[in-house]
């Protein structure tokens, strides 16, 4: 989230052993990451279908199937990095994990220092690769910059834009579809479950974003255009 204490990224922990899940979660939380968890493939699919994650830490053996079967689905649904973690010593498992599309492979038990090093290194590589391939995590506009990985919006003249997590999710979706209308239903699907989900909530969030951005830029021209009867479109051109 943007604000005084920003998350370094959102990580989905997919692990059926509660003690391992809690340990990994505590290590990542203490390092400044936001975490969510799933104990089954079914729950993993629900999570990635309704949330944006920067990285998925995926146990190889789950109660309802082999996690390798879900790697392709994760790749289709999200640009998140994938680290497979397993207690298996079988070299075949390691090769199959990497060949399936995973970015990293960790053997359990994982030392907390190694876990953090792998997570930080992978997120750094993804950020660099995104910029090279045009899938940038950093978007620069006239007078301001959005860093999707750091969850940060900054004015070039100085100062940050303080957005709620839901506001940032909406802004990210609009920026990634620059110039293309995004339907309200799509924006509603990004909304945090802890808050009421209504079309009116989307309208209010977009209104607040406009005020915050225009206040810092002193800009009268709209950045987010209303597409009546449909949704919203981000119309500012990146530099």
């Amino acid at each position: 989230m943007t604000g005084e204490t920003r998350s370094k990224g959102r990580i989905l922990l997919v692990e059926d052993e509660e003690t391992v899940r809690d340990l990994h979660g505590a290590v990542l939380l203490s390092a400044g990451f936001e975490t969510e968890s799933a104990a089954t493939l079914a729950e993993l699919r629900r999570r990635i279908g309704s949330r944006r994650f920067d990285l998925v830490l995926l146990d190889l053996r789950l109660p309802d199937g082999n996690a390798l079967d879900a790697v392709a689905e994760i790749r289709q649904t999200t640009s998140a990095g994938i680290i497979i973690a397993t207690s298996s010593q079988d070299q075949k498992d390691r090769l199959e994990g990497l060949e399936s599309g995973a970015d990293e492979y960790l053997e359990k038990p994982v030392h907390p220092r190694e876990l953090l090093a792998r997570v930080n290194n992978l997120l750094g590589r993804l950020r660099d690769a995104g910029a090279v391939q045009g899938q940038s995590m950093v978007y620069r506009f006239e007078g301001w910059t959005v860093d999707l990985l750091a969850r940060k919006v900054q004015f070039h003249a100085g100062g940050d834009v303080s957005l709620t997590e839901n506001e940032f999710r909406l802004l990210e979706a609009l920026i990634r579809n620059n110039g293309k209308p995004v339907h309200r239903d799509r924006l509603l699907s990004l909304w945090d479950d802890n808050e009421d989900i209504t079309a009116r909530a989307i309208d209010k969030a977009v209104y607040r974003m406009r005020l915050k951005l225009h206040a810092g830029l002193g800009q009268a021209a709209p950045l987010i255009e209303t597409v009546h009867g449909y949704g919203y479109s981000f119309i500012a051109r990146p530099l």
Side-chain angles (χ1 to χ4, degrees):
M1 294 174 60
T2 55
E4 293 186 2
T5 56
R6 293 186 180 85
S7 167
K8 292 172 62 178
R10 176 177 292 156
I11 298 176
L12 177 61
L13 303 173
V14 187
E15 168 64 61
D16 62 323
E17 292 187 37
E18 185 176 0
T19 54
V20 175
R21 190 170 63 241
D22 290 347
L23 174 61
H24 290 172
V27 170
L28 294 166
L29 282 170
S30 67
F33 292 98
E34 182 182 353
T35 66
E36 296 188 24
S37 62
T40 63
L41 287 178
E43 192 173 355
L44 160 66
R45 292 181 174 111
R46 286 196 296 272
R47 293 282 186 181
I48 63 173
S50 61
R51 293 282 197 280
R52 173 199 172 276
F53 294 98
D54 300 295
L55 189 146
V56 178
L57 182 61
L58 183 61
D59 184 32
L60 191 60
R61 306 277 187 254
L62 294 169
D64 54 346
N66 190 320
L68 293 182
D69 297 335
V71 171
E73 296 177 43
I74 298 173
R75 284 281 177 247
Q76 292 172 359
T77 308
T78 175
S79 59
I82 303 173
I83 298 179
I84 289 179
T86 179
S87 56
S88 172
Q89 303 292 317
D90 193 335
Q91 181 72 7
K92 180 183 177 183
D93 285 337
R94 177 187 180 90
L95 293 175
E96 288 182 347
L98 296 174
E99 290 169 355
S100 70
D103 299 289
E104 291 274 3
Y105 185 98
L106 280 173
E107 289 187 10
K108 294 190 294 186
V110 182
H111 191 283
R113 188 171 176 179
E114 181 182 8
L115 174 62
L116 288 178
R118 294 292 188 98
V119 167
N120 283 318
N121 288 343
L122 177 54
L123 288 176
R125 294 203 309 272
L126 291 173
R127 187 172 184 175
D128 292 342
V132 170
Q133 296 170 9
Q135 306 274 325
S136 181
M137 290 296 213
V138 179
Y139 290 80
R140 293 178 176 84
F141 304 93
E142 184 176 352
W144 61 298
T145 296
V146 181
D147 187 329
L148 298 182
L149 186 59
R151 318 296 283 165
K152 188 174 183 178
V153 181
Q154 286 186 304
F155 296 124
H156 295 170
D160 296 351
V161 184
S162 181
L163 300 181
T164 67
E165 176 61 24
N166 279 326
E167 289 169 354
F168 198 97
R169 290 182 189 182
L170 301 186
L171 180 62
E172 178 179 359
L174 292 170
I175 287 176
R176 288 190 180 277
N177 291 276
N178 198 331
K180 300 177 182 177
V182 182
H183 199 279
R184 276 188 178 83
D185 288 346
R186 169 60 181 152
L187 297 175
L188 282 169
S189 72
L190 303 173
W191 208 248
D192 192 314
D193 287 343
N194 293 326
E195 297 189 25
D196 292 336
I197 305 176
T198 65
R200 185 59 180 158
I202 298 295
D203 296 335
K204 289 180 178 178
V206 171
Y207 175 75
R208 291 194 300 266
M209 279 196 295
R210 283 171 170 157
L211 289 180
K212 292 175 183 179
L213 292 172
H214 289 184
L217 293 170
Q219 181 174 326
L223 302 172
I224 302 170
E225 186 177 71
T226 301
V227 182
H228 295 288
Y230 191 86
Y232 294 94
S233 178
F234 189 82
I235 57 175
R237 290 182 177 272
L239 300 177

